[in-house]
């Protein structure tokens, strides 16, 4: 009976190679740092962003209401521990490691102009904008000029003076849009990376939810900026007694006069 035979050289020539190792999100510390970076964008930074925008929305009620909100936040127990442990330090980690990730990545929208690539590029650049804006905002509003923790009634006037500069108003407006975009798309990325939205259909539906969240937060933020530059509270007092009950926006002039009487 005839049998097929193969030479050793032939078998060696057709032996499949090992191929390329599968791509992974990261190994060791890299994987852990990326997970922490993703998580920190939601908790605590995302939670703080929502609180910050809602607190600033109190500006629509006038200087007294805005000052009362600042006083309330600074009267929380262990407020400085909360400020550094849940805001400044996580924000510094998220921002610095985010810049590190972005600088190591490569944009290929020229050759592959897909939606996902454009999203990646936009997320990277809005992160840069947020990084620069937050640094100057914290320095100017928290550590320069009148100290708001000790003088919460001066909060409205301090922001109003800064936004009186048209360039600063433009910076704040652009930064508000960039930060809200970065956060809303960050929510979508977090859900995808952590397996919360498995499958294209779930991710697409959740994308609409994230878009609504981003638009809503951005609308609240831009409305807050208008409160400082709009006609209702022009030339706000330098310091307002925060114990005084704020009146509706259309009676802003009355609230100023009453506040000055109580001073």
């Amino acid at each position: 009976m005839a049998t097929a035979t193969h030479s050793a050289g032939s078998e060696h020539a057709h032996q499949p190679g090992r191929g390329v190792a599968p791509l992974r999100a990261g190994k060791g510390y890299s994987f852990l740092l990326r997970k922490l970076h993703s998580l920190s964008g939601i908790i605590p930074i995302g939670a703080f962003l929502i609180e910050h925008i809602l607190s600033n929305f109190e500006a629509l009620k006038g200087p007294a209401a805005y000052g009362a909100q600042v006083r309330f936040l600074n009267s929380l127990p262990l407020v400085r521990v909360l400020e550094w442990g849940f805001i400044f330090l996580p924000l510094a980690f998220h921002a610095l490691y985010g810049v590190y990730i972005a600088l190591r990545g490569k944009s290929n929208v020229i050759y592959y102009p897909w939606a996902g690539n454009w999203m990646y590029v936009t997320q990277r650049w809005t992160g840069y904008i947020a990084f620069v804006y937050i640094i100057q905002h914290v320095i100017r509003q928290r550590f320069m000029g009148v100290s708001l923790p000790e003088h919460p009634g001066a909060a409205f006037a301090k922001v109003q003076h800064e936004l009186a500069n048209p360039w600063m108003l433009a910076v704040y407006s652009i930064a508000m849009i960039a930060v809200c975009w970065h956060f809303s798309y960050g929510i979508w990325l977090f859900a995808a990376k952590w397996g919360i939205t498995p499958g294209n259909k779930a991710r697409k539906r959740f994308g609409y939810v994230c878009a609504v969240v981003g638009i809503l937060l951005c609308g609240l933020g831009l409305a807050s900026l208008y409160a400082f530059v709009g006609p209702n509270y022009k030339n706000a007092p330098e310091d307002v007694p925060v114990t005084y009950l704020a009146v509706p926006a259309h009676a802003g002039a009355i609230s100023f006069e009453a506040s000055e009487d109580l001073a």
Side-chain angles (χ1 to χ4, degrees), residues 7-31:
S7 64
S10 176
E11 291 180 355
H12 179 74
H14 293 84
Q15 185 177 359
R18 295 181 59 187
V20 180
L23 298 177
R24 303 182 185 276
K27 295 181 180 180
Y29 289 113
S30 176
F31 176 79

Side-chain angles (χ1 to χ4, degrees), residues 199-222:
N200 292 330
K201 183 177 293 186
R203 293 172 184 172
K204 184 177 181 179
R205 291 176 177 175
F206 190 63
Y208 294 123
V209 175
C210 295
V212 171
V213 171
I215 293 173
L216 178 60
L217 290 176
C218 187
L220 293 175
L222 294 177

Side-chain angles (χ1 to χ4, degrees), residues 55-72 152-153 155-156 233 240-248 255-256 259:
S55 293
N56 286 339
F57 197 69
E58 288 292 303
L60 291 170
K61 300 178 182 179
Y66 187 68
Q69 182 67 13
V70 174
R71 184 187 65 173
F72 164 73
F156 192 98
Y233 304 107
V240 178
V242 296
T243 56
Y244 183 69
L245 181 63
V247 296
S255 68
F256 293 161
S259 299

Side-chain angles (χ1 to χ4, degrees), residues 172-194:
Y172 271 67
S173 300
I174 293 173
M176 181 62 65
I177 297 172
V179 169
C180 291
W181 163 272
H182 192 83
F183 175 60
S184 60
Y185 186 58
I187 299 175
W188 186 89
L189 287 175
F190 173 81
K193 291 179 179 179
W194 287 72

